[in-house]
Amino acid sequence: SQYLAQHPSPTDVLGRAFFGSRSFVGEKLVLSSLNALLSLYPEHATSLPKHFKLNEQYLQWKVTMKAPLELICSYQIGGLNLKGCTMIAFDPSVRKAFHGNCFDVAEGKIRGFLPEKGIQMH
């Protein structure tokens, strides 16, 4: 938490840590490759930003909310009619970072396709 306190925009540090992490590399490679083939978003959106600014895009995500210790980015994939958001936050009282994802899907798909693929929805 002292590390974040020393930065003028700790949210940018959180965003870069998440989107620049090793565990995100696979997703970045897939999305960047798809973008090269299908032009889903502007080419400059494939570079990890130094600052996460409201309404700016990185890969499939657009920054929709930014607080000192929280970042929420939304996404919408038109051809698949899929939309959702990713949240990254840091709670200094417990000294932990939190991450969550959610997406909107038609109720009909919850009963059919997704459960057949082993995806459970709540």
Side-chain angles (χ1 to χ4, degrees):
S1 68
Q2 288 178 347
Y3 177 80
L4 288 175
Q6 295 171 357
H7 286 79
S9 181
T11 307
D12 293 330
V13 175
L14 286 171
R16 289 184 61 79
F18 173 74
F19 288 113
S21 69
R22 283 188 209 161
S23 57
F24 191 75
V25 168
E27 197 165 349
K28 179 181 177 171
L29 289 173
V30 169
L31 291 171
S32 297
S33 299
L34 282 173
N35 191 53
L37 295 171
L38 305 173
S39 297
L40 301 171
Y41 40 84
E43 185 63 33
H44 71 275
T46 59
S47 299
L48 184 62
K50 185 171 183 172
H51 302 285
F52 289 83
K53 298 177 182 170
L54 283 176
N55 297 317
E56 287 197 359
Q57 189 166 347
Y58 173 62
L59 295 174
Q60 204 64 42
W61 290 264
K62 183 181 281 191
V63 177
T64 52
M65 198 286 297
K66 184 176 179 180
L69 294 174
E70 183 176 15
L71 182 67
I72 297 178
C73 300
S74 62
Y75 58 87
Q76 186 163 358
I77 304 171
L80 299 175
N81 199 23
L82 178 67
K83 60 184 176 179
C85 67
T86 298
M87 180 274 305
I88 309 144
F90 180 76
D91 183 345
S93 67
V94 292
R95 300 177 63 178
K96 290 189 178 194
F98 296 90
H99 162 256
N101 282 299
C102 67
F103 61 94
D104 185 24
V105 66
E107 189 173 343
K109 292 201 177 204
I110 294 172
R111 294 192 187 125
F113 176 76
L114 293 175
E116 290 172 5
K117 301 297 178 198
I119 300 172
Q120 295 181 0
M121 305 298 290
H122 304 282

